[in-house]
């Protein structure tokens, strides 16, 4: 619409003197003038286009073809006080020529000069339309950006705020809009409130469950220790094992829930990762002397990192215990320093894991096939380590080593990320 509106139009010009000199003798005779009708040839290529008479039943007559395509232009020409000329398609319209109050308009084919002027006019028209389209498209893009893109970006930022735990994301005036964007903003605001309420309720439930489950389990273990039972009794041994196993399951579920709900406060501390790993190996060997020959630490240039030592030890200990539990061969720990971070690798020399199940190793409660792994645990150790690694700003991955066995890699930054409120 802008391009059509901005299309240059042909303008009226004073009649060429040569044309006036040619037609004036022919149109000065009253008898000849009154006999002219639309469509009639006057002389040469000159033809009558319209006639306006002061007498008669039909005062206004027009050439039928010109009336359909240029009727308004013919009327405008008839209203001029002096003869003018204007190009119409392939012809030149001239007039009005007046005698005794009667007027006529005349046309002739365009000459070479008129055709050149017409081509120039069409070129200017094309340039004007292209420029108008470009400017109009740019303005429409700006308006769309203001009306649509900016609100969507604002809601993307608000969604990130909700993901970070905010119950009141910054939506500015979007909820007050009356269109679909406003409705979406209102739904997002209400969803953030509902999510925060649900998260708070879950945390309260976690605290209550922690107290209600751990206390009875602790009393049951004390009661078993004080019970006057024969330690060789298989029933007592089974009860003892089940109680310890249930205690471990409860502790790991609660630990995983605390990590997933952001209830763990990180303690910034600069530590030597090699010393932490060596201390972990020493403690495990003290508790289980039979694994002393199986635990091996490689390399001496372990980096100093800024992280939470207890949470990092939790990650490594779960992985090492898992490797010792599922394999009978050596478990190797090594580290690669790549500048901003490091890769801590824990590799066993067991049979490895099926490629189809590697992605499931960090899923809570996933366990290997009991028929193949009679030592399968409850499936929380690696899931807990995976979530703890994310809290530390790192990432935990697993793959089958090219030389055999499963290798778990902890990608950990050297500087601890800032804890979010």
């Amino acid at each position: 619409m802008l391009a059509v509106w901005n299309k240059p139009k042909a303008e009226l010009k004073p009649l060429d003197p040569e044309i006036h000199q040619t037609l004036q003798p022919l149109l000065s005779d009253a008898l000849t003038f009154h006999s002219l009708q639309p469509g009639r040839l006057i002389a040469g290529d000159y033809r009558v286009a319209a006639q306006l008479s002061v007498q008669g039943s039909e005062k206004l007559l027009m050439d039928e073809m010109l009336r359909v395509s240029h009727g308004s232009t013919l009327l405008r020409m008839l209203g001029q006080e002096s003869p003018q000329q204007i190009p119409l398609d392939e012809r030149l319209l001239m007039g009005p020529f007046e005698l005794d109050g009667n007027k006529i308009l005349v046309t002739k084919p365009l000459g070479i000069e008129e055709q050149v002027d017409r081509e120039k006019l069409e070129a200017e028209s094309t340039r004007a339309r292209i420029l108008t389209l470009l400017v109009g498209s740019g303005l429409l893009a700006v308006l769309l950006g203001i009306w649509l893109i900016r609100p969507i970006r604002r809601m993307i930022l608000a969604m990130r705020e909700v993901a970070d735990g905010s119950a009141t994301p910054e939506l500015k005036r979007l909820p007050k809009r009356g269109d679909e964007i406003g409705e979406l903003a209102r739904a997002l605001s209400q969803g953030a409130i509902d999510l925060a309420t649900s998260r708070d309720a879950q945390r309260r439930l976690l605290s209550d469950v922690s107290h209600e489950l751990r206390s009875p389990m602790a009393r049951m273990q004390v009661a078993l220790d004080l019970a006057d039972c024969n330690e060789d009794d298989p029933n007592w041994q089974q009860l003892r094992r089940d109680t310890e196993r249930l205690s471990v399951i409860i502790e790991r579920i609660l630990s995983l829930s605390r990590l997933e709900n952001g209830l763990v406060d990180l303690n910034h501390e600069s530590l030597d990762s090699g010393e932490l790993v060596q201390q972990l190996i020493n403690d495990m060997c003290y508790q289980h002397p039979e694994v002393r020959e199986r635990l091996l630490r490689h390399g001496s240039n372990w980096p100093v990192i800024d992280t939470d030592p207890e949470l990092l030890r939790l990650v490594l200990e779960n992985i090492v215990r898992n490797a010792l539990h599922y394999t009978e061969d050596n478990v190797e720990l090594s580290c690669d320093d790549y500048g901003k971070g490091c890769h801590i690798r824990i590799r066993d020399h067991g049979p490895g894991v099926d490629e189809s199940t590697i992605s499931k190793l960090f899923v809570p409660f996933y366990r290997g096939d009991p028929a193949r792994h009679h030592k399968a645990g409850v499936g929380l150790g690696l899931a807990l380590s995976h979530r703890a690694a994310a809290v530390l700003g790192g990432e935990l991955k697993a793959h089958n080593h090219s030389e055999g066995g499963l290798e778990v890699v902890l990608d950990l930054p050297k500087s601890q990320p800032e804890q979010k409120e």
Side-chain angles (χ1 to χ4, degrees):
M1 292 177 65
L2 287 173
V4 172
W5 172 76
N6 196 37
K7 178 181 178 181
K9 297 180 180 179
E11 297 180 357
L12 291 173
K13 295 182 180 180
L15 184 64
D16 191 333
E18 293 184 1
I19 298 176
H20 190 272
Q21 292 176 2
T22 302
L23 293 176
Q24 187 62 33
L26 299 173
L27 301 177
S28 59
D29 181 66
L31 183 61
T32 302
F33 191 95
H34 290 296
S35 66
L36 296 176
Q37 297 291 325
R40 179 180 174 180
L41 286 173
I42 300 176
D45 293 330
Y46 293 95
R47 188 182 297 272
V48 177
Q51 180 186 35
L52 180 62
S53 304
V54 294
Q55 297 178 351
S57 58
E58 294 181 342
K59 296 184 177 182
L60 177 62
L61 297 174
M62 295 184 183
D63 182 271
E64 189 63 26
M65 297 296 294
L66 291 177
R67 185 186 67 80
V68 173
S69 57
H70 301 289
S72 61
T73 304
L74 295 177
L75 293 175
R76 183 159 62 101
M77 288 287 289
L78 289 171
Q80 300 298 315
E81 296 181 357
S82 61
Q84 306 285 322
Q85 66 182 38
I86 186 173
L88 294 181
D89 298 332
E90 300 296 331
R91 304 186 69 81
L92 184 66
L93 179 66
M94 299 161 289
F97 299 97
E98 186 174 358
L99 181 66
D100 299 332
N102 301 314
K103 297 181 180 181
I104 64 171
L105 299 178
V106 180
T107 64
K108 80 176 188 68
L110 290 175
I112 296 177
E113 294 183 357
E114 289 88 356
Q115 290 180 1
V116 171
D117 293 339
R118 180 173 176 271
E119 291 176 357
K120 290 181 179 179
L121 184 63
E122 290 181 352
E124 292 178 359
S125 174
T126 302
R127 286 195 296 268
R129 286 197 295 267
I130 292 175
L131 179 61
T132 303
L133 286 172
L134 291 176
V135 174
S137 299
L139 291 175
L140 287 175
V142 172
L143 292 176
L144 284 176
I146 295 175
W147 185 253
L148 185 62
I149 304 302
R150 287 181 61 186
I152 292 177
R153 288 181 177 176
R154 180 66 261 172
M155 283 190 286
I156 290 174
L157 295 176
M159 283 297 298
R160 291 174 180 171
E161 294 177 14
V162 173
D164 291 337
S166 175
T168 56
E170 179 59 44
L171 291 169
K172 296 185 178 180
R173 298 180 57 84
L174 293 183
K176 296 182 180 180
R177 291 178 53 154
D179 55 4
E180 287 77 4
I181 292 179
E183 184 176 353
L184 179 59
R186 290 189 291 273
L188 176 59
S189 179
Q190 184 61 44
I193 296 175
D194 295 342
L195 184 60
T197 302
S198 176
R199 183 171 55 247
D200 293 341
Q202 184 180 9
R203 289 177 177 177
R204 288 193 298 271
L205 176 62
L206 174 62
S207 177
D208 295 341
V209 170
S210 174
H211 175 74
E212 295 298 329
L213 289 182
R214 297 175 75 178
S215 297
M217 285 304 305
R219 291 194 297 269
M220 289 175 62
Q221 290 178 337
V222 172
L224 284 174
D225 292 336
L226 297 177
D228 186 13
C229 298
N230 184 3
E231 295 186 359
D232 295 331
D233 185 354
N235 295 324
W236 185 89
Q237 293 177 356
Q238 183 65 43
L239 180 61
R240 180 80 178 188
R241 287 193 300 270
D242 289 344
T243 303
E244 292 177 352
R245 181 180 176 85
L246 183 58
S247 178
V248 171
I249 292 175
I250 292 173
E251 183 62 34
R252 290 188 176 180
I253 290 176
L254 295 176
S255 298
L256 185 61
S257 298
R258 284 194 295 270
L259 289 172
E260 291 179 342
N261 287 279
L263 301 181
V264 176
D265 295 327
L266 299 181
N267 297 317
H268 289 264
E269 183 175 330
S270 180
L271 60 91
D272 188 327
S273 58
E275 292 183 0
L276 183 141
V277 170
Q278 188 59 51
Q279 183 62 47
L280 171 62
I281 293 175
N282 294 339
D283 292 344
M284 297 186 72
C285 291
Y286 178 80
Q287 185 179 6
H288 303 284
E290 67 276 8
V291 302
R292 184 177 301 276
E293 301 298 327
R294 296 176 57 197
L295 280 176
L296 304 175
R297 191 195 81 167
H298 297 302
S300 58
N301 295 324
W302 288 66
V304 175
I305 57 179
D306 179 21
T307 188
D308 187 312
E310 293 301 325
L311 204 55
L312 176 57
R313 175 174 173 130
L314 171 68
V315 175
L316 298 177
E317 184 172 353
N318 279 331
I319 299 173
V320 172
R321 288 187 182 277
N322 192 75
L324 293 172
H325 186 73
Y326 279 90
T327 65
E328 302 293 340
D329 297 315
N330 293 342
V331 176
E332 302 174 351
L333 292 91
S334 60
C335 183
D336 298 331
D337 189 347
Y338 61 87
K340 293 184 179 180
C342 62
H343 290 143
I344 300 179
R345 305 177 183 274
I346 300 96
R347 178 201 169 192
D348 62 49
H349 289 264
V353 179
D354 292 340
E355 294 293 337
S356 60
T357 62
I358 286 182
S359 59
K360 302 177 183 179
L361 292 177
F362 303 112
V363 177
F365 298 104
Y366 175 77
R367 300 187 297 168
D369 186 359
R372 299 176 56 189
H373 303 285
H374 63 280
K375 297 181 179 180
V378 297
L380 286 173
L382 290 180
L384 182 61
S385 296
H386 187 267
R387 182 53 187 158
V391 172
L392 291 174
E395 185 178 9
L396 199 61
K397 297 181 179 180
H399 64 271
N400 288 316
H401 197 275
S402 59
E403 298 179 0
L406 180 70
E407 183 177 61
V408 180
V409 181
L410 172 61
D411 185 359
L412 193 67
K414 288 185 179 179
S415 60
Q416 181 181 341
E418 293 294 331
Q419 187 174 2
K420 297 174 183 178
E421 297 296 335

